[in-house]
Structure formats: structure tokens, C-alpha cells
């Protein structure tokens, strides 16, 4: 059954009885107890991606069964707890439907921002960025999936792109880290910090990345494959140290000496 904080199936069991079909608005209310940020647009997007197939009335209205609601809950939970792309979630659900056992990665635990660089790399984890081992292609998501997963609008994304906070690859895809960036930019916006205010943060990140590139460039050009692989590990370690130094400097600046 669809899990909610209260352990039930939603208000008054509205989706409750087996075989009873409910509207998309009712589905939204049921899901929001566990997933407060879900929207009708997100539900429609998941339908368009083939994650759920509600029935249609003769007039075209969507009608969802209990199984549909539970399936949506599983999808949202795998996105939230395991950071899985929709393609992987679809494969997991198809395997479950065939009666196969699936192995999910361990649920993501709340972490300090300084530990984010320790996330697993590649398509299976939340990372998969510049530190991916040589020969591995970083996982990417499409524009529509980024909008739906991060819960932002096209106008917001376009504005953030105009300030260089997010950047699509030539193929139109985004790094998985783009979801994290989009959510953080949106959260900062809730405190009145606009994208133009964050250009300094982006510039500082670019400068830090430039310093790291200077250190590891000779290693990456080395003929020895092991030395080149060591360059990637070194880059990750330097990035982690840089993030920690930046955080410590910000904390120090917020607490002037003598206060």
C-alpha cells in the first residue's frame, strides 16, 4: 500500500477500495502526505514517461486505480531515497512485475554538504561527474526530467542557464548533479537570493576547478594508465578539500573575531 507518514493509505481511504478509480486531484492529495513537493505536472510527466498508465474516461479525464497510486509512490520514493533516474526506475518496476527480485542501492542518508563529494559515481549513484573513472560515461538526464525531478519551471531553468548556474551538454542532457544544483538554487531563492546574486558563487567554483586542473593536468597527460587513473582520484580529493576550506572560510566570515 502507499506509505504515508501516518502509515495509512491517505485521507479517508479515498483511493482505498480495490477497483475504485480516482481523479488526478485525489491522487495528488494522497501523495502529498509523503511527498509534499509533488505536483500535477509531475504526475503527468511520469505518465508521459510510461511510469504509470491511468485509464481515461470517454471525455478524456484520467482515472487512477489503487495500483496506479502505489506505483507512483514507488517511483517517487526511488527518486527521493535512491536518486535513481527514471530509466533505471522503469527497469526496476518491470523486473518486479515479472516477479524478479531487484537490488536497490542503500537509501541516501542526510549528509553534511561537505560529504557530498563522497557520493557514488556514475549512473548508479548520485554523482557521475568530473571524477568518474576514465572510460565511464557520466549519467545524464533530459531537460523534462530535470524540470520534473527538481520541481522547477522552464522559465526558472532558462534564467539559471542564462547566469551559467546550469549548463546542458551538446546532446541536450544534464549531469545528474544538475538536480542538486537546481534544488539548491531554488532553496536559496526562498531566502531572497536571486540567480544574479549567485554568479559570484559560480565564479568561485570555476576558479577552484581551475586550480585543481593545474595540479592534475600533468598526471592526466601521463602515458601510464595507472597515473592517469590516479589523476581522477587526486581531483576528487582536492575537490573535497576545496569544498571544506570554502565552508570553513564562510563560517569564519559569518562569525567575526571577538564575537
Amino acid at each position: 500500500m502507499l506509505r504515508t507518514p501516518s502509515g495509512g493509505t491517505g485521507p479517508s481511504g479515498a483511493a482505498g477500495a480495490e477497483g475504485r478509480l480516482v481523479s488526478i486531484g485525489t491522487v495528488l492529495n494522497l501523495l502529498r502526505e509523503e511527498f509534499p513537493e509533488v505536483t500535477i505536472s509531475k504526475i503527468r510527466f511520469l505518465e508521459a514517461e510510461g511510469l504509470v498508465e491511468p485509464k481515461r474516461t470517454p471525455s478524456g479525464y484520467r482515472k487512477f486505480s489503487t495500483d496506479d497510486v502505489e506505483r507512483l509512490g514507488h517511483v517517487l520514493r526511488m527518486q527521493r531515497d535512491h536518486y535513481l533516474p527514471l530509466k533505471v526506475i522503469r527497469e526496476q518496476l518491470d523486473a518486479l512485475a515479472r516477479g524478479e527480485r531487484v537490488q536497490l542501492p542503500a537509501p541516501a542518508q542526510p549528509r553534511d554538504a561537505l560529504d557530498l563529494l563522497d557520493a557514488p559515481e556514475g549512473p548508479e549513484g548520485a554523482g557521475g561527474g568530473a571524477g568518474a573513472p576514465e572510460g565511464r560515461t557520466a549519467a545524464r538526464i533530459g531537460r523534462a526530467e530535470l524540470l520534473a525531478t527538481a520541481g522547477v519551471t522552464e522559465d526558472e531553468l532558462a534564467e539559471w542557464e542564462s547566469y551559467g548556474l546550469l549548463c546542458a551538454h551538446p546532446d541536450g542532457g544534464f549531469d545528474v548533479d544538475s538536480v542538486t544544483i537546481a534544488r539548491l538554487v531554488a532553496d536559496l531563492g526562498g531566502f531572497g537570493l536571486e540567480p544574479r546574486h549567485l554568479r559570484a558563487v559560480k565564479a568561485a567554483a570555476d576558479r577552484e576547478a581551475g586550480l585543481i586542473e593545474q595540479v592534475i593536468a600533468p598526471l592526466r597527460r601521463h602515458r601510464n594508465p595507472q597515473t592517469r587513473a590516479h589523476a581522477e582520484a587526486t581531483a576528487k580529493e582536492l575537490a573535497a578539500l576545496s569544498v571544506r576550506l570554502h565552508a570553513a572560510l564562510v563560517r569564519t566570515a559569518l562569525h567575526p573575531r571577538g564575537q
Side-chain angles (χ1 to χ4, degrees), residues 10 21 34 57 71 77 97 104 107 136 146 167 171 173 188 195 218 237:
L21 302 179
E34 184 178 351
T57 67
R71 186 177 174 90
R77 206 169 291 117
L104 289 172
R136 179 185 293 180
L146 172 59
C167 183
D171 61 7
L188 288 168
E237 183 175 0

Side-chain angles (χ1 to χ4, degrees), residues 56-146:
R56 294 274 186 163
T57 67
S59 55
Y61 290 103
R62 297 171 176 83
K63 290 294 182 179
F64 296 79
S65 67
T66 302
D67 287 343
D68 291 331
V69 179
E70 292 180 357
R71 186 177 174 90
L72 285 169
H74 286 311
V75 172
L76 295 171
R77 206 169 291 117
M78 282 192 274
Q79 282 190 316
R80 180 195 64 195
D81 297 344
H82 304 284
Y83 298 101
L84 296 180
L86 291 183
K87 178 182 178 181
V88 176
I89 292 175
R90 187 182 299 108
E91 293 170 352
Q92 298 272 12
L93 292 175
D94 289 345
L96 288 172
R98 294 191 299 266
E100 301 175 9
R101 296 184 63 181
V102 298
Q103 183 66 42
L104 289 172
Q109 299 297 322
R111 295 173 294 175
D112 188 277
L114 302 181
D115 296 326
L116 291 177
L117 287 172
D118 295 329
E121 296 169 346
E124 301 300 323
E134 191 172 4
R136 179 185 293 180
T137 301
R140 292 180 189 162
I141 62 175
R143 190 178 191 88
E145 185 174 352
L146 172 59

Side-chain angles (χ1 to χ4, degrees), residues 138-168:
R140 292 180 189 162
I141 62 175
R143 190 178 191 88
E145 185 174 352
L146 172 59
L147 293 172
T149 304
V152 301
T153 66
E154 173 62 39
D155 288 343
E156 288 173 325
L157 177 56
E159 183 183 15
W160 300 342
E161 287 178 305
S162 72
Y163 285 101
L165 299 175
L166 285 165
C167 183

